[in-house]
């Protein structure tokens, strides 16, 4: 099982009128249950425009297959060609018989986030032309639990695990990321203590 989420990044060269330069905006599609994505728009420092990230997952790809990132990246296809490469080498659907990734995204924004699309429309060629589909996390493989009931957000060797908002999707408000990180941290410690007790590595754990 691979990482279920990925992102599409776009650059906007201007800050929409009336937007605060020190905030983050969360935009949801009209049919959010069907589309299964949301958009994070963050003003860049010194009024240098807007960074737009569309967070998608497997359900998104079911409805919009042209958004699917490639399963893997081939050496030399893009940039360094390794796991450090930020973007997909050749996003699926980036160029189709009838339309490009930019055209597909423009249509999607126009239909699902019309108010946000209107803010970008004056420079839509620049904004949607900058679109890149980020690679899925390649080092992370979600492995099923013992009873195949849930997935563990860890690498196969068990040396790295995700906690907090790295493992749980949420909006950047009300300190949710910090709260889930603390909850996950407590659970992680409990699991480590349990394993240590089972192996007899410590006489007493508290």
């Amino acid at each position: 099982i691979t990482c279920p989420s990925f992102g599409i990044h776009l650059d906007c060269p201007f800050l929409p009128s009336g937007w605060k330069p020190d905030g983050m905006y969360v935009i949801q599609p009209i049919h959010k249950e069907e589309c299964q994505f949301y958009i994070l728009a963050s003003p860049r420092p010194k009024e240098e425009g807007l960074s737009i990230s569309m967070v998608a997952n497997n359900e998104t790809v079911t409805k919009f297959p042209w958004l699917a990132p490639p399963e893997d990246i081939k050496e030399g296809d893009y940039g360094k060609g390794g796991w450090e490469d930020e973007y997909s080498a050749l996003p699926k659907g980036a160029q189709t018989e009838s339309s490009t990734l930019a055209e597909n995204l423009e249509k999607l924004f126009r239909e699902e986030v019309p108010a946000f699309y209107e803010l970008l429309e004056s420079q839509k060629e620049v904004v949607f032309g900058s679109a890149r589909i980020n690679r899925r996390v390649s080092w992370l493989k979600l492995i099923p639990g013992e009873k195949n009931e849930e997935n563990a957000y860890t690498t196969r060797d068990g040396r790295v695990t995700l906690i907090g908002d790295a493992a749980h999707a949420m909006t950047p408000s009300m300190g949710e990321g910090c709260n889930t990180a603390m909850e996950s941290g407590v659970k992680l410690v409990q699991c480590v203590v349990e394993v240590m007790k089972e192996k007899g590595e410590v006489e007493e754990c508290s």
Side-chain angles (χ1 to χ4, degrees):
I1 303 173
T2 56
C3 183
S5 62
F6 62 97
I8 299 90
H9 184 264
L10 305 92
D11 285 308
C12 177
F14 65 93
L15 185 65
S17 177
W19 280 40
K20 296 180 180 180
D22 60 348
M24 177 181 284
Y25 296 81
V26 181
I27 302 102
Q28 292 186 332
I30 294 175
H31 303 97
K32 58 183 180 181
E33 295 300 326
E34 297 177 17
C35 295
Q36 290 292 312
F37 73 81
Y38 60 92
I39 298 169
L40 301 177
S42 306
R44 296 187 184 280
K46 300 180 181 179
E47 299 183 358
E48 294 182 354
L50 199 63
S51 173
I52 303 170
S53 296
M54 176 179 168
V55 182
N57 56 38
N58 291 335
E59 287 75 13
T60 313
V61 174
T62 300
K63 186 171 179 62
F64 309 106
W66 48 269
L67 274 177
E71 294 300 324
D72 200 359
I73 188 170
K74 295 181 180 180
E75 188 70 27
D77 280 350
Y78 191 100
K80 296 178 181 178
W83 69 271
E84 293 177 325
D85 221 331
E86 182 179 0
Y87 301 121
S88 298
L90 183 61
K92 290 181 181 178
Q95 181 70 53
T96 63
E97 294 181 0
S98 59
S99 60
T100 64
L101 174 63
E103 290 169 345
N104 281 325
L105 274 175
E106 181 185 347
K107 181 175 182 292
L108 178 60
F109 274 50
R110 186 171 59 246
E111 295 175 352
E112 290 295 334
V113 287
F116 186 50
Y117 173 77
E118 287 182 7
L119 297 175
L120 309 175
E121 191 172 11
S122 64
Q123 295 203 37
K124 61 183 182 180
E125 290 83 5
V126 175
V127 175
F128 294 104
S130 70
R132 296 291 183 274
I133 301 178
N134 289 0
R135 300 179 58 216
R136 291 182 186 273
V137 179
S138 58
W139 57 267
L140 175 66
K141 299 292 183 183
L142 300 183
I143 56 177
E146 291 182 1
K147 296 182 180 179
N148 216 25
E149 295 175 347
E150 57 184 19
N151 296 314
Y153 287 72
T154 180
T155 52
R156 291 193 180 281
D157 60 10
R159 292 177 177 271
V160 179
T161 189
L162 299 182
I163 65 173
D165 53 4
H168 311 288
M170 63 194 62
T171 57
S173 60
M174 300 185 293
E176 288 180 298
C178 179
N179 289 333
T180 57
M182 289 189 288
E183 291 176 0
S184 296
V186 170
K187 183 63 176 178
L188 179 60
V189 170
Q190 290 174 344
C191 291
V192 170
V193 170
E194 279 184 28
V195 172
M196 292 177 69
K197 285 183 176 180
E198 289 175 2
K199 294 185 177 180
E201 295 180 352
V202 291
E203 294 182 359
E204 182 178 350
C205 295
S206 59

